Amino acid sequence: MSRSQRLFDLLQLLRCHKYPVTGDYLARELDVSVRTIYRDIATLQAQGAEIDGEAGLGYVLKPGFTLPPLMFTPDELEVLRLGAEWIARQADSEFSTSAQHAIAKIAAVLPPSHTWQPDDEIMRVGPLPAMTDLPLDMAQLRAAIRHQAKINLNYRDGQGSLSQRCVWPLLIGVFQQCYVLVAWCETREDFRHFRLDRIARFAPQAERYPHPRKILLRQWRQSAGIPAAKLGY
C-alpha cells in the first residue's frame, strides 16, 4: 500500500468514529506500527486535517471535514448505487426522488474512469413486493422526528382494535412491505413499534418531548439488543 493510500485510509477510519480512537486501534486496523500512525497523524494535521487528540489518549476527526467523492472505491460506489436504487423503488415518492438526485450529484463529480454504466453493474435490485399505500404524510412525520415533537395518533393493531396514543417519534424503519415507526409511547411508558399502514390518524403537536432523541435511540437499541451502527450512531 502506498503512503498516500494509507493516509486516505487513516482519514476514512477516523471519519467512521465519533469518539477518540487510540493509536493502537488504528495501527491494528491498518496493519502498521503505532509509531507510523503517530507520524501519519502529524502529516495529516500539517496538511490541514482537523484531528484532535494526542498519543496515549486517542484521536478524533472534527465534524465537517470532507473527503472528495472521486476517492470512492468501485465497491463503495456499487453500494451507494444499489442502496439508492432500493430506496427509489419504495412507496415514499419524496425519498425516491431524493435518492435519484443524490446519485446524480455524486455521478456528476466523478472522474470518467468512475462513471456508472449499465453494463458495469455487478448487483441489481430485483422486483420488490408491493408496499401498502400510506394514509399519512411522510414528510410531516419526518419533520416531527427532526423537531423531536410529540404526535397523537389513532392506531389499529393486528386484531383491528383501535387505540389513541401520544408518542415520541424516534425512527422510521423501512422494510420491504411496510414502514415501522419506533417511538416512546406515553400510554405504555415504554418503546413501541407502530406499522405506518395501521395508523388511522396522525397529528403532530407543538410540544417537544423532554429527552434528547439521541439518548432515547441509544436506550431503545439497548432494550432491543441492537448494536450501535458502525457509522452515524
Side-chain angles (χ1 to χ4, degrees):
M1 178 190 300
S2 67
R3 185 164 187 261
S4 60
Q5 181 62 49
R6 189 179 71 241
L7 291 174
F8 173 78
D9 289 347
L10 177 55
L11 274 176
Q12 185 63 31
L13 191 56
L14 288 169
R15 194 183 191 188
C16 291
H17 295 82
K18 285 188 174 181
Y19 304 103
V21 289
T22 66
D24 287 338
Y25 169 82
L26 296 170
R28 288 195 302 272
E29 290 294 306
L30 296 177
D31 195 24
V32 296
S33 68
V34 175
R35 181 172 296 181
T36 297
I37 292 295
Y38 293 157
R39 287 200 302 264
D40 287 350
I41 290 288
T43 298
L44 291 172
Q45 289 172 328
Q47 293 178 353
E50 297 185 84
I51 301 173
D52 282 344
E54 59 184 83
L57 297 178
Y59 298 95
V60 62
L61 185 64
K62 287 185 177 180
F65 184 82
T66 59
L67 297 175
L70 59 86
M71 296 302 290
F72 286 129
T73 67
D75 282 348
E76 289 168 344
L77 290 172
E78 187 69 15
V79 167
L80 289 174
R81 184 200 59 76
L82 198 64
E85 182 182 350
W86 187 85
I87 288 293
R89 296 194 187 190
Q90 302 306 305
D92 186 350
S93 59
E94 182 182 347
F95 253 29
S96 296
T97 301
S98 296
Q100 294 168 2
H101 289 175
I103 289 300
K105 288 179 180 179
I106 294 174
V109 296
L110 293 174
S113 60
H114 282 64
T115 300
W116 282 302
Q117 299 293 337
D119 292 340
D120 294 335
E121 294 177 352
I122 297 175
M123 301 177 68
R124 189 168 183 82
V125 177
L128 298 175
M131 183 177 286
T132 304
D133 290 336
L134 300 176
L136 49 83
D137 186 335
M138 289 290 289
Q140 192 177 34
L141 178 57
R142 288 196 296 268
I145 293 175
R146 292 190 182 102
H147 296 143
Q148 300 184 176
K150 294 184 179 184
I151 61 175
N152 290 333
L153 54 84
N154 292 352
Y155 187 73
R156 196 176 301 278
D157 64 19
Q159 287 69 47
S161 299
L162 191 65
S163 62
Q164 295 182 344
R165 309 288 185 95
C166 180
V167 304
W168 308 349
L170 303 175
L171 183 73
I172 299 172
V174 181
F175 296 89
Q176 284 197 355
Q177 292 178 294
C178 68
Y179 290 94
V180 174
L181 174 66
V182 177
W184 173 269
C185 178
E186 291 188 353
T187 302
R188 304 301 186 192
E189 296 186 342
D190 201 355
F191 296 106
R192 287 291 186 268
H193 302 153
F194 302 93
R195 281 183 54 150
L196 298 195
D197 57 334
R198 293 178 180 171
I199 295 178
R201 174 181 168 273
F202 160 72
Q205 305 300 300
E207 182 182 3
R208 291 166 60 94
Y209 45 82
H211 303 296
R213 176 173 171 265
K214 287 185 178 180
I215 293 177
L216 291 169
L217 276 173
R218 191 177 304 123
Q219 293 172 348
W220 166 69
R221 288 193 182 90
Q222 291 172 350
S223 68
I226 300 173
K230 186 175 181 181
L231 293 177
Y233 296 109

